[in-house]
Amino acid sequence: MAKILLVEDHEEIWDFLSRRLKRRGYEVVLAHDGEEGVMKARTSRPDIILLDMNLPVLDGWSAARALKSDAETARIPIIALTAHAMSGDREKVIQAGCDDYHPKPVDFSKLLTQIGAALGTPPTS
């Protein structure tokens, strides 16, 4: 099963998501700030990254740009997880380098569909 790097600083969200993703068979690597997320993307080689945009140390916008500008991580799909759900926010995260956008609060079944689409696999049930 695919390896997911979850970059999220809110314990309730990373706990909820990591437990549910693991139950679906995914391997989950956690990072709690943008800088750690970039480092773990380079060392753990995830198949996909779920990236909160409002992170400490290095925000998600900067982390996405850093990941997409690095040849070693540029091809890893990134799904932005963000409370920014205003008109134009999806376009902003795409311009920052994310491949898809998921507004918070997380709709887990929709997120699974997005993960499957990004990986080119059907969603797990």
Side-chain angles (χ1 to χ4, degrees):
M1 187 54 83
K3 183 188 297 184
I4 297 175
L5 172 58
L6 174 58
V7 188
E8 172 63 60
D9 64 326
H10 287 89
E11 182 177 1
E12 303 83 26
I13 297 171
W14 61 254
D15 181 56
F16 163 80
L17 282 177
S18 64
R19 284 188 293 110
R20 294 196 68 188
L21 290 166
K22 287 176 184 177
R23 277 198 299 257
R24 298 296 191 292
Y26 292 104
E27 179 182 346
V28 179
V29 176
L30 292 172
H32 303 293
D33 64 58
E35 186 175 287
E36 182 184 15
V38 171
M39 181 191 70
K40 285 193 174 179
R42 291 176 178 148
T43 59
S44 68
R45 303 289 187 190
D47 298 296
I48 188 167
I49 299 169
L50 303 180
L51 179 65
D52 181 21
M53 301 310 284
N54 294 318
L55 293 166
V57 184
L58 182 69
D59 65 35
W61 312 93
S62 300
R65 286 186 199 97
L67 290 165
K68 290 301 182 173
S69 68
D70 183 335
E72 292 184 29
T73 57
R75 290 194 174 98
I76 303 170
I78 301 172
I79 298 176
L81 299 177
T82 181
H84 295 278
M86 303 296 286
S87 176
D89 285 335
R90 184 181 197 287
E91 291 75 22
K92 289 177 188 173
V93 299
I94 299 299
Q95 288 174 354
C98 297
D99 300 282
D100 204 351
Y101 165 86
H102 189 92
K104 290 179 181 176
V106 173
D107 175 339
F108 191 69
S109 61
K110 182 180 179 203
L111 182 60
L112 285 177
T113 300
Q114 289 176 281
I115 290 168
L119 295 173
T121 59
T124 59
S125 54

